[in-house]
Every structure is written in structure tokens, then in C-alpha cells.
């Protein structure tokens, strides 16, 4: 029988700060108390806290209670070990076995890098996984080791095809990371919808008005009401072109993995005790087998510098590269700590309560 986790979150004060290492250790304790074996709990905690440290709050510890709820109701297996099915020198299919998505994604990107290190490129198609939060820490991990990395994922149906109103496709994110000389990797991480649903949930909680081009209500009409948007569908990024991009990501993930189509994937917020069935694709390329690592780093550095030095537009705001704000935020939070906002405290306290409830069940075993 597992012992209840001390309710340390109640001692934290809104407006204060917490060090990244302490928050990571505490998050790992929570996951371990929920049945995730070490070191997997530590690895998952590090990835979730990295999002929080980078200011990607909608994909950081906001998802911790959601993952715990799915573990608690039997919808996700905290002890699952992904199975890597070897299909070729450069390719593999990873069966996530309904494990924690961040750990399935980590296993897949690491395997793709291992194959790229051996022969120049590696690709892992993933099935039977779960939501893995932001892709930035996963592709950033690969780029930090000198690889160019790509990630794609399907998601539960929340987007209607252009011209429709039935949710068939997900927000289907894609990400890429490129090593740079003397700086953190250049990371592109984006949903193929006009907005991630996490932003809609945050707006609904705060009773905020949303832009009219973010979502449709249940009748297929543009809406500025976040609650109505959550009952309807998100809009594709850039209209019909974004819809086509979403469709491309969907097929890259499912056609190669043999996973479920997006319209059969369960939303992580769904209370049903059933596997979500998310599919991903991770690709790693070794620049050393192409023009060379130094050239790859130089290319990203040169282009980035050229963009950042270019003159601002009419609004006077200078151009910046994707991920620049996250990079700056991470540096500041490494120095000053991660802010203890009311939202973060609520997520941590809910997580501790959920673990305490799980631990109190007679059927809950280590």
C-alpha cells in the first residue's frame, strides 16, 4: 500500500516562487505516488516542469491533474513500458501500450535519435499513446544532442474540416528543432488549429472573450464565447490551408503507425475509463551525414540573426524567432524561480488531493 503524499502544496503561497529542481522533484513524487515507476516519474516531471519553466503554462503542470485522473480511473497505465517494434534500420513502430504520453514520446524520440546516430536518420511511428503535452522539450532534447528533429501528433476530434461543423480532426500539433551555435536550439512548436484548446479552457475559466476567428459554436458559427467554443470546434490555422495541414499531420501519424484515426481518439478530459489511442510520428536527422553539424548550426544561426536584425514593420515591433519568448522566460525562471500563480497552485493542490484519494483506496497497490 502506498503512503499518502505530504500535502506540501498547501504550504506554498501565491505570489511566491519555487526553484525548478524542487518543483521537478515534488512533481516526480506525485507521479511516483500515483504508480509511475522511477526513473519514469522523474523524466515525466522534468518534461512537464520544463514547459512551466519556459512559460508554456497551458501544456505544463496544468496537465498533471488530468493525467492523474486518467491513471486513477484506469484509463491510462502508469507502469506501461513502450514496446519498440523494429521494422528496418531507420524505422520502428512504437506501441505505447497506453502509457503516460510524455514517456512514450520520450522513448520514441530517443529511439529515432539512436537510429539517426547509426545511419543518418531515424523515424518512429507511435500508436496507443496518450497526450504528451508540448512537443518542444522532446524535439529540443534531440536538437541539443546535434540532431534536427520533427514531431507530429494527432489528437481527439475538436476541429471540423473547412466548410463543415462536425469535429473530425484534432488540433494535430507539429514541431521542429534545429541546433544552433552558441544558443539553445531553434524550436518551432505549434498546433495546426488557430488556437490550442488549452487556451480556450483557460479563457473559459477566466471568463475572457476570445477572438472571433479562433472557434465555432456547436451550430458552426464563429464565436467570441470560450464556453460556446468548447462546445463547438476550433478553427483551422489559416482557413482551408490549415485544414489541409491538419489532415497531413493526421495521416503521417496514423498511416505509418497503424493507430486510430483522430475521430476515434479520446480527449484527455474524457472521464471514460478507456484508452485514448493517440498516435505520433518522430523523425531525427543527423546533419553529420549531410552537409555537416557545423553547417547545420551555422545555417540556423545565420538565418536567425538575419531575421532578428531586420527592421520592424509599421507597428514598430521588431521580428523575433519562434521560441524566443520561451527561451527568455526559461533563463529568467532559472535565475529567479517559477512563479507560484493561482493557476499553478490550483493544479498542484488538485494533483496532491487526487493522489491522496488514490492511495486511500483498498485496491490501490504499489
Amino acid at each position: 500500500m502506498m503512503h499518502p503524499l505530504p500535502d506540501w502544496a498547501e504550504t506554498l503561497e501565491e505570489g511566491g516562487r519555487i526553484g525548478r529542481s524542487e518543483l521537478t522533484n515534488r512533481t516526480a513524487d506525485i507521479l511516483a505516488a500515483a504508480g509511475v515507476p522511477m526513473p519514469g516519474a522523474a523524466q515525466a516531471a522534468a518534461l512537464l516542469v520544463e514547459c512551466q519553466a519556459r512559460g508554456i503554462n497551458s501544456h505544463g503542470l496544468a496537465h498533471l491533474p488530468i493525467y492523474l485522473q486518467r491513471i486513477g480511473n484506469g484509463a491510462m497505465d502508469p507502469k506501461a513500458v513502450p514496446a519498440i517494434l523494429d521494422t528496418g534500420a531507420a524505422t520502428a513502430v512504437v506501441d505505447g501500450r497506453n502509457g503516460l504520453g510524455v514517456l512514450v514520446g520520450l522513448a520514441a524520440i530517443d529511439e529515432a535519435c539512436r537510429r539517426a546516430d547509426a545511419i543518418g536518420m531515424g523515424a518512429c511511428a507511435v500508436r496507443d499513446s496518450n497526450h504528451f503535452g508540448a512537443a518542444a522539450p522532446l524535439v529540443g532534447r534531440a536538437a541539443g544532442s546535434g540532431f534536427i528533429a520533427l514531431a507530429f501528433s494527432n489528437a481527439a476530434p475538436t476541429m471540423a474540416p473547412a466548410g463543415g461543423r462536425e469535429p473530425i480532426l484534432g488540433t494535430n500539433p507539429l514541431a521542429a528543432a534545429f541546433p544552433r551555435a552558441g544558443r539553445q536550439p531553434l524550436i518551432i512548436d505549434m498546433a495546426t488549429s488557430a488556437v490550442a484548446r488549452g487556451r480556450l479552457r483557460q479563457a473559459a475559466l477566466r471568463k475572457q472573450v476570445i477572438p472571433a476567428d479562433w472557434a465555432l459554436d456547436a451550430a458552426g458559427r464563429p464565436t467570441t464565447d470560450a464556453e460556446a467554443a468548447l462546445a463547438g470546434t476550433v478553427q483551422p490555422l489559416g482557413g482551408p490551408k490549415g485544414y489541409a495541414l491538419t489532415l497531413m499531420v493526421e495521416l503521417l501519424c496514423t498511416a505509418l503507425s497503424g493507430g486510430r484515426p483522430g475521430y476515434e481518439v479520446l480527449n484527455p478530459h474524457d472521464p471514460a475509463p478507456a484508452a485514448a489511442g493517440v498516435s505520433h510520428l518522430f523523425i531525427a536527422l543527423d546533419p553529420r551525414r549531410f552537409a555537416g553539424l557545423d553547417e547545420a548550426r551555422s545555417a540556423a544561426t545565420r538565418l536567425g540573426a538575419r531575421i532578428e536584425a531586420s527592421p520592424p514593420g509599421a507597428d514598430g515591433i521588431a521580428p523575433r524567432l519562434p521560441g524566443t519568448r520561451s527561451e527568455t522566460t526559461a533563463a529568467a525562471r532559472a535565475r529567479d524561480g517559477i512563479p507560484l500563480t493561482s493557476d499553478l497552485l490550483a493544479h498542484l493542490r488538485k494533483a496532491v488531493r487526487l493522489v491522496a484519494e488514490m492511495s486511500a483506496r483498498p485496491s490501490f497497490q504499489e
Side-chain angles (χ1 to χ4, degrees):
M1 189 74 63
M2 302 199 69
H3 299 291
L5 191 74
D7 200 358
W8 65 275
E10 293 296 337
T11 68
L12 301 175
E13 295 183 2
E14 184 177 346
R17 289 180 177 268
I18 186 170
R20 179 168 171 172
S21 61
E22 181 183 355
L23 185 57
T24 300
N25 291 338
R26 294 294 193 173
T27 302
D29 289 342
I30 292 171
L31 288 166
V36 181
M38 290 290 191
Q43 292 173 322
L47 291 169
L48 291 174
V49 174
E50 181 176 345
C51 290
Q52 204 73 33
R54 292 170 66 88
I56 314 172
N57 299 339
S58 62
H59 285 66
L61 292 170
H63 286 292
L64 182 60
I66 300 165
Y67 298 160
L68 294 174
Q69 285 173 330
R70 290 186 60 74
I71 291 172
N73 71 5
M76 185 163 62
D77 182 358
K79 292 181 169 61
V81 177
I84 297 172
L85 312 175
D86 190 19
T87 58
T91 59
V93 172
V94 177
D95 185 339
R97 294 179 169 174
N98 194 30
L100 199 61
V102 287
L103 295 181
V104 177
L106 183 62
I109 190 64
D110 283 354
E111 181 64 20
C113 289
R114 188 188 70 77
R115 290 169 187 262
D117 186 55
I119 63 170
M121 61 179 66
C124 289
V126 184
R127 62 177 180 243
D128 196 19
S129 182
N130 283 282
H131 183 276
F132 60 52
L138 296 173
V139 293
R141 174 187 177 93
S145 296
F147 299 99
I148 291 173
L150 305 171
F152 309 88
S153 183
N154 75 349
T158 54
M159 183 193 298
R165 65 176 182 175
E166 179 189 358
I168 296 175
L169 299 166
T171 54
N172 292 10
L174 60 85
F178 302 86
R180 283 190 287 185
R183 285 185 66 176
Q184 293 295 313
L186 172 60
I187 300 176
I188 300 162
D189 185 6
M190 53 179 272
T192 51
S193 56
V195 65
R197 272 181 66 86
R199 296 276 299 279
L200 296 180
R201 284 190 291 272
Q202 287 185 329
L205 284 171
R206 297 168 184 169
K207 308 299 182 184
Q208 294 173 335
V209 173
I210 61 171
D213 59 353
W214 276 13
L216 305 175
D217 64 17
R221 299 168 300 207
T223 182
T224 59
D225 184 328
E227 290 283 359
L230 288 171
T233 61
V234 293
Q235 297 252 45
L237 176 71
K241 290 183 179 180
Y243 153 58
L245 188 62
T246 305
L247 184 60
M248 180 196 78
V249 173
E250 168 70 28
L251 289 172
L252 281 172
C253 294
T254 58
L256 296 176
S257 71
R260 290 188 207 171
Y263 54 81
E264 292 181 0
V265 170
L266 291 188
N267 191 297
H269 294 268
D270 194 318
V278 184
S279 298
H280 323 300
L281 175 66
F282 293 92
I283 299 172
L285 304 169
D286 186 352
R288 287 166 282 248
R289 304 299 184 104
F290 294 87
L293 179 56
D294 287 344
E295 179 56 35
R297 286 173 170 159
S298 179
T301 303
R302 288 196 310 267
L303 179 56
R306 181 71 179 84
I307 289 171
E308 291 177 329
S310 62
D315 58 8
I317 299 174
R320 61 182 177 86
L321 294 169
T324 300
R325 183 179 300 160
S326 293
E327 187 179 351
T328 302
T329 300
R333 292 183 175 181
R335 181 186 66 245
D336 304 326
I338 295 172
L340 291 168
T341 63
S342 59
D343 286 347
L344 176 55
L345 287 175
H347 301 320
L348 292 172
R349 289 167 181 167
K350 184 175 182 180
V352 171
R353 288 196 302 272
L354 286 168
V355 168
E357 290 169 6
M358 276 189 261
S359 300
R361 297 175 195 163
S363 59
F364 190 71
Q365 302 292 327
E366 291 193 52

